[in-house]
Amino acid sequence: PTSKLEAYLSWSRGIGEASKTSHGFLNTTLLRDEGPEGTLFVTILHFADYNAACLWHSSKERAEWLIKLETLQLEDVSADVAYEALPMFSLGESEKHAREVPAPARWRMWLLIWLQVYLLVEF
């Protein structure tokens, strides 16, 4: 089992390094879940946008790495594609220039809080 684990981790690092050359590649995430049936590993490749992910998905390099995965002879191996599995995003440059919303005036907050307390007590 340890040699299979090392083989998979090596494959995961390799596909992560290989995908760095693809346009729009952001990073790689390796998830590990210990369950009653055993340990599940998931390698997630993150891309900047849908087109970049499609470019990698249709590349010969990805196909070669999937063949390498099959040669590892691991149990229950699959290569799934999920373009919207995790809603991850970054505002990028717009975060730096975002306008801060000012806090409400103190007297308004005081009035609203006491109005809520009054309504809760009376009704």
Side-chain angles (χ1 to χ4, degrees):
T2 305
S3 63
K4 287 185 177 185
L5 172 61
E6 291 171 2
Y8 178 79
L9 293 177
S10 175
W11 176 87
S12 180
R13 284 189 297 272
I15 196 170
E17 288 296 319
S19 58
K20 284 182 180 179
T21 61
S22 183
H23 171 72
F25 175 76
L26 297 175
N27 63 17
T28 305
T29 302
L30 177 65
L31 302 177
R32 177 181 180 162
D33 184 28
E34 303 272 345
E37 292 91 27
T39 304
L40 173 70
F41 288 92
V42 178
T43 301
I44 302 172
L45 304 175
H46 302 274
F47 290 90
D49 56 28
Y50 176 78
N51 292 331
C54 286
L55 184 66
W56 169 256
H57 182 70
S58 62
S59 72
K60 290 181 182 178
E61 194 167 13
R62 177 185 178 269
E64 291 171 2
W65 279 98
L66 292 180
I67 291 170
K68 289 179 185 179
L69 180 62
E70 290 175 7
T71 62
L72 295 178
Q73 298 179 349
L74 301 173
E75 299 170 15
D76 193 24
V77 174
S78 65
D80 295 329
V81 177
Y83 294 109
E84 297 180 34
L86 299 173
M88 299 171 57
F89 62 91
S90 173
L91 297 176
E93 288 296 315
S94 63
E95 283 181 338
K96 297 176 184 175
H97 305 293
R99 183 179 65 89
E100 290 187 26
V101 178
R106 287 182 170 254
W107 69 269
R108 283 187 184 159
M109 291 302 297
W110 180 86
L111 180 65
L112 288 173
I113 290 171
W114 281 106
L115 179 62
Q116 290 173 1
V117 169
Y118 174 76
L119 292 174
L120 286 173
V121 170
E122 288 297 320
F123 301 104

